[in-house]
Amino acid sequence: MKITLPYSGLQWSDLWFVLQGIGNTVLLTVIAATIGTIIGLALGWARGESKTARWAFAPIINVVRSVPLIIQLILASSFFAMAGGEASPLVAGCVVLSLYMGVLTSELVRAGLASVHITLRRAARSLGMSYWQELRHVSAPLALRAVFPGWVGTLIALTKDTALVGVLGYVELMRATQILINRTNEALLILTGAGLFYFLICYPISRYCRRLEKAMNHD
């Protein structure tokens, strides 16, 4: 009688499957980081310049920062389903992660603008600059230097948080890793490889952004 083994070994085709997962992770990170940064810049500026905006957006920011991302992902997917439209895991993940990135970035931007001393802003205005000229040439460059390191840390954290979108069925790197572990029972080897891939994604970002930060500080 032929005995069927419950597990199968790793195959070369599994490498392509993992690479697809890496591509999905990078795609989700790029979309969420781009949209989230734009949201964060606008929201952070509004909350830094207007007390009304600060109070109006405070509930949303507190909820997004306090509720675990995995719960937000499940609730967002359920909301789309109840609304009558089935959003793909990529769309639901982009919405949640973009909002999360936007909220965290907005707090960095607000704090960065607040770190610019009021006397510098008044001096620029006294020289005849308009509000937008002062913001562009004085406040924004100084705030960017203060915000940039925190934003880089948020971007790297976002890259790792994309693993949570796997609960919706999106096959990113961690989800692909789990599928392979269930099929091959090679947990140690596969997780080591996944950790290496995350390192190869995040470390170049960190190094490149560090070079940009040094360049900004030398200007």
Side-chain angles (χ1 to χ4, degrees):
M1 182 177 65
K2 184 178 179 180
I3 300 176
T4 303
L5 297 176
Y7 301 109
S8 60
L10 287 171
Q11 303 171 3
W12 281 109
S13 59
D14 295 332
L15 178 60
W16 174 245
F17 182 61
V18 172
L19 290 176
Q20 287 180 311
I22 294 173
N24 290 338
T25 294
V26 173
L27 174 63
L28 183 56
T29 301
V30 170
I31 294 175
T34 302
I35 298 176
T37 299
I38 294 172
I39 293 173
L41 289 172
L43 188 58
W45 167 78
R47 296 188 73 234
E49 297 296 318
S50 171
K51 290 184 178 180
T52 302
R54 193 177 308 166
W55 285 102
F57 291 110
I60 298 175
I61 289 177
N62 291 332
V63 169
V64 172
R65 293 176 65 186
S66 302
V67 177
L69 265 176
I70 192 168
I71 296 178
Q72 296 182 42
L73 287 164
I74 295 172
L75 290 177
S77 180
S78 300
F79 174 79
F80 283 122
M82 290 187 296
E86 291 188 8
S88 67
L90 175 61
V91 172
C94 285
V95 170
V96 173
L97 292 181
S98 296
L99 183 58
Y100 184 70
M101 180 72 178
V103 164
L104 296 184
T105 302
S106 72
E107 289 297 281
L108 292 172
V109 172
R110 182 183 62 82
L113 291 174
S115 69
V116 180
H117 204 281
I118 188 64
T119 55
L120 293 175
R121 305 187 70 172
R122 289 175 178 172
R125 296 298 296 274
S126 68
L127 293 174
M129 288 187 180
S130 66
Y131 170 82
W132 296 108
Q133 288 174 328
E134 182 276 324
L135 180 64
R136 176 183 175 185
H137 297 289
V138 179
S139 295
L142 293 175
L144 178 61
R145 295 182 181 183
V147 168
F148 192 70
W151 179 84
V152 173
T154 303
L155 175 62
I156 292 175
L158 176 72
T159 303
K160 293 180 287 187
D161 287 338
T162 57
L164 298 175
V165 187
V167 300
L168 303 181
Y170 185 67
V171 185
E172 39 65 56
L173 176 54
M174 200 61 205
R175 178 65 175 170
T177 298
Q178 292 172 343
I179 293 173
L180 288 180
I181 290 174
N182 290 336
R183 203 201 75 211
T184 65
N185 200 30
E186 295 284 353
L188 182 60
L189 177 61
I190 295 174
L191 286 175
T192 300
L196 178 61
F197 279 124
Y198 274 113
F199 175 79
L200 293 176
I201 294 172
C202 295
Y203 184 71
I205 296 175
S206 177
R207 291 290 299 176
Y208 180 69
C209 290
R210 192 175 303 173
R211 292 178 60 184
L212 289 179
E213 182 182 355
K214 289 181 179 179
M216 287 188 296
N217 291 332
H218 288 162
D219 288 342

